Amino acid sequence: MVSIVPRSEWGARAPRDRSTTSWSQRRGVTVHYSAGPASQSVRSIQDFHMDGNGWSDIGYNFLVDRSGTAYEGRGWTVVGAHAYPYNASHIGVCFIGQDGDATAAAKAAIRALYDEANRRAGRTLDKTGHRDLNSTSCPGDDLAAWVHAGMPADAAAIGEDDMVGLSKGDTGERVKYLQVILMKAGFDLPEFGADGHYGAETEKAVLAARKSQGSEQDFGDRVTGWAAAQIMAAFTRNQLV
């Protein structure tokens, strides 16, 4: 099962109203993007939907950020407000960001939500982008192409460019991204966490992630293409546990 941050943890407002549907009525999962900055909070999106659009709650059933964290919106069986007239039949999953912002981790989390929806429904649901249902540019060209490719969750298909080429001593947001993925894959960074510095602790976690996927390499001081693929495979596997 995919790990989902519940409404209580992101400070959700209570809905003004809600209606539910059944799994027998669910036919698909629809991918969206917020079209705003990746720094948007889930609460700010809810505020806009409730105060700006006048909706009863946040429109999406789930949301996913660049780090691959999934957030509960309306939830599995509550009717959304994301793709009329498909709100009862389709589960809306929104990536928080703009076209081209979606990382491998975000795509893996969206795919994990889709797989969990299939498990709960007891059958295979349709994979759709918002533009497949309504006249809109959402979810952007990148995510639309990914959906049409079948929502591949394997790292080779979704890319690992955010971390390939990093090496010990590097600093910055790309290193922080690597560290977040490692932690979400189950490899702790207990001393420094995601501090944006590729040090000995990160080196050890990279090696552990590689070994967990059967690698015979004995280095963790750099992220090759193979290393990135193995890290993402470990991440995806952990999201589905």
Side-chain angles (χ1 to χ4, degrees):
M1 294 176 61
V2 61
S3 177
I4 300 168
V5 177
R7 290 172 64 95
S8 60
E9 290 189 17
W10 59 262
R13 293 160 59 177
R16 299 190 186 103
D17 192 18
R18 66 196 295 267
S19 59
T20 59
T21 186
S22 65
W23 281 107
S24 64
Q25 292 179 283
R26 290 297 201 195
R27 294 192 291 108
V29 171
T30 302
V31 178
H32 300 257
Y33 70 163
S34 69
S39 59
Q40 282 179 298
S41 67
V42 181
R43 175 58 186 268
S44 71
I45 295 173
Q46 183 191 38
D47 287 342
F48 175 72
H49 285 180
M50 295 182 73
D51 300 333
N53 294 350
W55 297 346
S56 62
D57 196 358
I58 194 167
Y60 309 111
N61 297 94
F62 298 95
L63 302 93
V64 172
D65 66 18
R66 291 188 82 250
S67 73
T69 299
Y71 300 86
E72 178 186 19
R74 296 199 183 192
W76 291 112
T77 57
V78 178
V79 177
H82 60 91
Y84 180 82
Y86 302 95
N87 292 320
S89 61
H90 286 62
I91 297 166
V93 179
C94 178
F95 166 68
I96 303 173
Q98 303 181 44
D99 188 22
D101 285 346
T103 60
K107 291 173 180 176
I110 294 170
R111 177 55 194 252
L113 287 168
Y114 170 77
D115 290 339
E116 177 63 15
N118 286 339
R119 189 188 72 80
R120 290 172 181 251
R123 63 189 188 284
T124 301
L125 302 176
D126 293 338
K127 304 181 184 80
T128 61
H130 189 189
R131 64 175 65 175
D132 297 321
L133 304 179
N134 300 124
S135 179
T136 175
S137 61
C138 181
D141 292 340
D142 176 55
L143 281 173
W146 175 71
V147 171
H148 290 167
M151 290 187 187
D154 61 290
I158 59 181
E160 314 89 14
D161 290 346
D162 287 300
M163 65 179 77
V164 172
L166 289 173
S167 59
K168 191 173 181 179
D170 286 344
T171 60
E173 289 300 313
R174 290 177 63 222
V175 175
K176 188 177 292 185
Y177 169 76
L178 166 64
Q179 293 167 327
V180 169
I181 293 299
L182 286 167
M183 290 190 292
K184 288 183 177 293
F187 302 98
D188 291 337
L189 301 172
E191 186 173 359
F192 299 109
D195 64 350
H197 178 260
Y198 196 145
E201 186 173 60
T202 300
E203 176 184 11
K204 181 179 178 181
V206 168
L207 179 58
R210 300 201 68 184
K211 293 293 187 183
S212 76
Q213 300 306 303
S215 174
E216 296 181 358
Q217 298 294 331
D218 60 359
F219 65 86
D221 61 342
R222 58 192 182 278
V223 183
T224 62
W226 275 114
Q230 290 158 349
I231 292 166
M232 286 308 304
F235 165 82
T236 301
R237 178 177 295 179
N238 197 53
Q239 293 299 295
L240 296 174
V241 173

